[in-house]
Amino acid sequence: MCTYILRRMVSAIAVMAMVGIFIFVLLRLAPGDPAAIMAGRNATAEAIAGIREQLGLNEPLPVQFMLWVSSMLHGDFGTSIFSGRPVFELVLQRLEPTLSLSLMTLALSVTLGVSLGVLAAWRAGGLLDRTLTLFATLGYSVPVFVVGYFLVYLLAIGAGWLPVQGYVQIENGLGGWFAHLVLPTVTLSLPYIALIARITRASMLEVLSEDYMRTAAAKGASAYAMLVHHALKNAGVPILTVVGLSFAYLIGGVVLTETVFNIPGVGRMVVDAVNSRDYPIIQSVLIMVSGLYVLINLAVDLAYTLIDPRIRY
Amino acid sequence: MLVLAGGGLLMLLVVLAVAAPLYAGDPEALDPFIRLQPPSGEHWLGTDNLGRDVLARTIYGARISLIVGLMSAFLAAIAGLTIGIIAGYLRSFDNLIMRVMDALMSIPTFLLAIALISLTGPGIGILIFAVALPETPSVSRLVRSVVLSVRERPYVQAAICGGARLPKVMLRHILPSTFAALMVQSATVCASAIMTEAGLSFLGVGVPPEIPSWGNMIASSRLYLATAPLTVLAPGVFLAITVLAVNLLGDGLRDLFDPRSRSR
C-alpha cells in the first residue's frame, strides 16, 4: 500500500514536470511577445526591451525554464504588472468567492446527479429513465453562460426572486452570501448533474446485473436497501473518477459563470488580466490550476481503496 | 433514430449557414434609429444595441460555430489518430506518449486557450488550434485502446506472418477498425469545441469582435438583457440547438456502432 502511494506520488510529480514544460514551450513558441503585450500598444522599443530584461526573456530558453521552475518551487508565482503585487497573494484574495461557488456546485451536482442516476437505473427503460436521459443530454448541450442569462432573465429580472449579479462575502451575512450564490451554483451545476447522473446510471446498471443483486432480492431486501447499500457502494469508483476528471472542465465553467454573474473570483481575475494585458497572472493561474488538477486526481486514485476494499495495491 | 434527428438538425444548420447570403440580409448594416427594437415584420428577432438585425447576425453566427467546431474536431481526430496508432502499435513509445498525453489532459482547456489567444491576439486559426490541442489526448487514448485490442486479432497476425510491412499493417489492417470509435469521439470533440469557441468569444478572447459569432453577440448584448432579451437569448438558443444536434448525432452513432451500449 505504502509503496503504491509513493509510486503514485512520484508519477504525479513527473506529470507535473511535463505539464510545466508543456505550458512553457507552448507559451514561448506562440507568435506574440509577452513583453510587447504588457507594454501596451503605443510602447517605445526601449520600454519593451526593459520589460524583456525584467522578465528574463533575453536568457536562452532552457535557462528561462529553470529560473521559472525554481522561483515557483520557492513559492514565487510572478508579479502582476498592473498592481505590482505577487500573483499568489492576488489569487488568495480572490479565493473565497471561487471556492464558495465550486464547493456548492460540487455538493449540489453530486447529490442531485447521483440521486437522479440511481433513480434512472432503478426504472431503466421506463418513462422516468427516458425523461432523465433527455434532460441529461440537454443539460450538457447548453453552455453555462446561456443557462446563466436565461435564469437571470427568468428568475432575477422577471420574477425578482434572486439578485441579478454580484457577490456578498460570508462575513457580511450568510443570507446575502447564499442568495447571491443560488443562481451561479444552479447554472454551473447543470452540466455536472447531467454528467454525473449519466455515469451513475451506467455504472449502476452494470452492478444491478450482478449475481449478488439477485441474491439480495431473493433474501427480500427492500428496493432502497438494494439500490443504496448493495448497488451504489459498488458503483462508486466510476462516479468518483468522473468527478475528479471533470475538474478541468469545471474551471472553464467557473471563469464563465463568474463573468456572467460578476463575481469577483479567480476566474474574473483571469478575464480582467486579459483585458489589462497582465500576462503573468494568466500564466501563473494556468500552472496553479493544472497542478491542482494533478493533485485532485492523485487524491481520487488514493480514495479508490477507501470506497472499494477489493482494490488493493 | 438519434442519428437521423441529430444529423438532420445539423445538416439543416449547415445549409442555413452556407446559404445565409441568399436570404438573411446584411448582418453588418447599422441603423442607430432602430436600436434594441422588439421583433417586427422587418426584423423578426428585433435589433441589437447598434440597430443591427439580430436574426441575420444569428444566422451568420452559425458559420463561425460550425467552422470552428468541425475544423477543431477534424484536427483533433487526425492528431489523436496518428498518436493513438503509434502508441498502440509501437509499444516502445507507448509509455512516453501516454504520459505526455496525461500531462496535456491536466491543463485546463479553457485557461490554456485564454493564455494562447491573449498572446497572439484573437483569430480563427489560433482559436481552432487552441481548442483542438487539449482535445487530442482523449482521442488518442481511445484510438490506442482500440489498437491494443485489434493488434492481437488473428487477421492482423496473419498479415504480419504474410510479410506485410509495418506501414501496410497499420494503414490497411488497423486503421479501419478505429473509425467507429473515432467518429463517436469526434462528435463529442466537435460539441465541446463549439461550446469552447462560444465561451472564449463571450469573454473577448475568441474570434475578433467585428465578426458576428454567437459568443460575441451575447457579450455585446448582455447589458441589454432586461430591455431586449432576444439579443442575448436568440444566439443562446441557436448555440444550444447546435451543440444538442452534434451530441445527439454522437449518441446515435455510438448506439449504431455498439448496440450493447444502448441500454447503458
Side-chain angles (χ1 to χ4, degrees), chain B residues 94-148:
Chain B
D94 186 35
N95 209 356
L96 177 68
I97 293 179
M98 290 333 279
R99 292 296 82 73
V100 171
M101 290 294 119
D102 280 351
L104 196 50
M105 266 183 125
S106 314
I107 307 175
T109 312
F110 217 72
L111 287 180
L112 179 67
I114 291 177
L116 274 177
I117 294 168
S118 67
L119 265 180
T120 60
I124 290 183
I126 183 72
L127 186 63
I128 291 172
F129 175 76
V131 172
L133 181 72
E135 301 283 359
T136 305
S138 63
V139 182
S140 63
R141 277 186 168 198
L142 190 79
V143 170
R144 171 179 171 272
S145 70
V146 175
V147 173
L148 281 182

Side-chain angles (χ1 to χ4, degrees), chain A residues 35 37 42 71 152 179 220 225:
Chain A
I37 288 172
N42 304 317
S71 61
V152 166

Side-chain angles (χ1 to χ4, degrees), chain B residues 45-57:
Chain B
L45 292 179
T47 55
D48 71 0
N49 57 321
L50 296 175
R52 295 174 295 196
D53 185 55
V54 172
L55 181 62
R57 291 182 74 72

Side-chain angles (χ1 to χ4, degrees), chain A residues 27 31 140-141 149 201 205, chain B residues 119-120 195 222 247 263-264:
Chain A
L27 296 185
Y140 59 71
S141 295
Y149 282 123
R201 176 180 178 276
L205 280 180
Chain B
L119 265 180
T120 60
M195 284 212 261
R222 47 193 282 225
N247 275 334
S263 62
R264 300 265 151 91

Side-chain angles (χ1 to χ4, degrees), chain A residues 116 129-143 147 190-199 201 249, chain B residues 2 5-6 9 191 195 239-252 254-255 264:
Chain A
L116 292 177
D129 180 31
R130 278 185 219 177
T131 320
L132 286 176
T133 306
L134 183 73
F135 273 102
T137 310
L138 265 176
Y140 59 71
S141 295
V142 189
V147 177
L190 227 56
Y192 274 97
I193 296 172
L195 186 70
I196 294 174
R198 206 173 155 140
I199 293 291
R201 176 180 178 276
Y249 180 68
Chain B
L2 285 178
L9 206 53
M195 284 212 261
L239 177 56
I241 290 177
T242 309
V243 179
L244 185 65
V246 178
N247 275 334
L248 287 179
L249 182 64
D251 284 0
R254 198 192 48 223
D255 289 351
R264 300 265 151 91

Side-chain angles (χ1 to χ4, degrees), chain A residues 246-275:
Chain A
S246 57
F247 172 73
Y249 180 68
L250 177 74
I251 295 305
V254 166
V255 176
L256 288 168
T257 310
E258 288 186 356
T259 306
V260 169
F261 292 97
N262 213 4
I263 297 171
V266 179
R268 216 26 245 178
M269 183 171 85
V270 172
V271 178
D272 290 343
V274 172
N275 296 328

